[in-house]
Amino acid sequence: MRLIAPIAIAATLAACSEAGGPGQHGQTAPSEVVSDSVDTEMTTPQSAAAGQAGAPPKLPISLPKLTYAYALSYLLPGDKIAATQDAHRDMCEEMGPARCQLLALERGIGEEQAARAMLKLRVATAEARRFQVLLDHDVTEAGGRTENAKIATDEVSKQMVDTEARIRQRELLVARLTETLRNRKGRPAERVDAERSVTQAQEELDQARSWLGELKGRVAMSEFDIRYGAIAPSATAQGLGARLGEAAQGSGAVFLIGLNALLSLLIYLLPWAALVALPLLVLRALRKRRIAIGQA
């Protein structure tokens, strides 16, 4: 009995140590994984920041502000000019005033060889290239071709930067003068001079804002100067007869104008001729009388 008790106690302690071993190993493994992951998360941003610190800083890129002016010239059959011009105008109106605006329209009326037309538009710069392609397509469909095409650009970046700086300066000046005028106490003449200074600064500020708005509008909208010309006059018999009739009418009109001028001149000169002829007739009569008396 004395030997059994120590053996039982030793077996119990061995069983407890074997049961606790696996539990301790199972708890230490996740802690090591967590610590490794935490170290990784903590070191990754630092290493990224260290890598970025060595790279040079990126400079902001400022694109130039450009204005575009398109000058297009088309040659079409004389009887297709008006229809093509109307089609281009309708296309602009369908785009809406925010994307296309009509500035001027002109159309010649006369002989086909002298037929001319002109159309001036303002189109959104982002759609200017597409609009030009559509214009060329309409002309090709009408049996015409492009005679000339030019694109002129003008950079207004410096003007816009200078104008914006001027606006900021004038805003500060107006605010300072207004505050001084509000807190100033002095003679009426001095207050009048201060008010005049505020008014002048405000006018300059309004002018600068207006000019900046105009520059932004020129950048946002491109101008189109479109001109149409006739390829050649028609050689139909009807056209030839009409021209001959016009020539005959012109000749008759010139004859009537000349006859009218001649008759008008005779009417104006008739009184003067009578006034000059009367003394001559009197002198002739007296001469005949003297000759008759001398013969008697």
Side-chain angles (χ1 to χ4, degrees), residues 79-99:
D79 55 348
K80 299 291 185 179
I81 291 179
T84 305
Q85 186 186 32
D86 291 338
H88 292 171
R89 179 183 178 182
D90 295 340
M91 183 170 58
C92 177
E93 292 178 350
E94 290 176 359
M95 294 175 63
R99 298 161 57 199

Side-chain angles (χ1 to χ4, degrees), residues 119-280:
L119 186 65
K120 287 188 177 182
L121 305 172
R122 185 180 288 129
V123 183
T125 303
E127 303 183 23
R129 176 57 183 163
R130 173 177 170 273
F131 188 79
Q132 181 187 1
V133 173
L134 293 178
L135 294 178
D136 297 343
H137 177 73
D138 290 344
V139 171
T140 304
E141 290 293 328
R145 66 178 185 271
T146 302
E147 181 184 19
N148 195 5
K150 295 181 180 179
I151 303 177
T153 62
D154 184 17
E155 185 174 356
V156 295
S157 303
K158 185 177 183 301
Q159 300 180 24
M160 295 183 66
V161 172
D162 294 344
T163 305
E164 291 174 351
R166 185 178 180 85
I167 288 175
R168 289 192 295 269
Q169 293 176 357
R170 288 297 177 268
E171 288 176 347
L172 294 175
L173 179 60
V174 169
R176 186 169 63 253
L177 291 176
T178 304
E179 186 65 22
T180 302
L181 181 62
R182 184 181 297 110
N183 300 329
R184 187 169 185 176
K185 295 180 181 179
R187 292 178 300 176
E190 295 177 353
R191 296 185 62 84
V192 171
D193 293 339
E195 291 178 358
R196 188 179 296 112
S197 300
V198 173
T199 302
Q200 183 179 358
Q202 185 63 45
E203 290 178 356
E204 295 177 356
L205 176 60
D206 294 339
Q207 292 175 0
R209 287 174 176 171
S210 177
W211 176 239
L212 180 60
E214 182 177 350
L215 291 176
K216 290 182 178 180
R218 289 172 56 188
V219 172
M221 305 291 285
S222 300
E223 293 187 358
F224 276 76
D225 187 356
I226 310 170
R227 298 188 178 275
Y228 311 86
I231 295 178
S234 61
T236 59
Q238 184 178 2
L240 180 61
R243 288 182 176 79
L244 292 177
E246 292 178 358
Q249 292 178 0
S251 177
V254 171
F255 174 76
L256 293 177
I257 291 173
L259 183 61
N260 184 23
L262 181 61
L263 292 177
S264 300
L265 181 62
L266 292 177
I267 292 173
Y268 280 113
L269 294 178
L270 185 61
W272 297 99
L275 184 62
V276 173
L278 184 60
L280 294 177

Side-chain angles (χ1 to χ4, degrees), residues 286-296:
L286 292 176
R287 185 180 178 183
K288 286 181 180 182
R289 185 177 180 182
R290 289 177 183 177
I291 293 173
I293 292 174
Q295 291 177 357

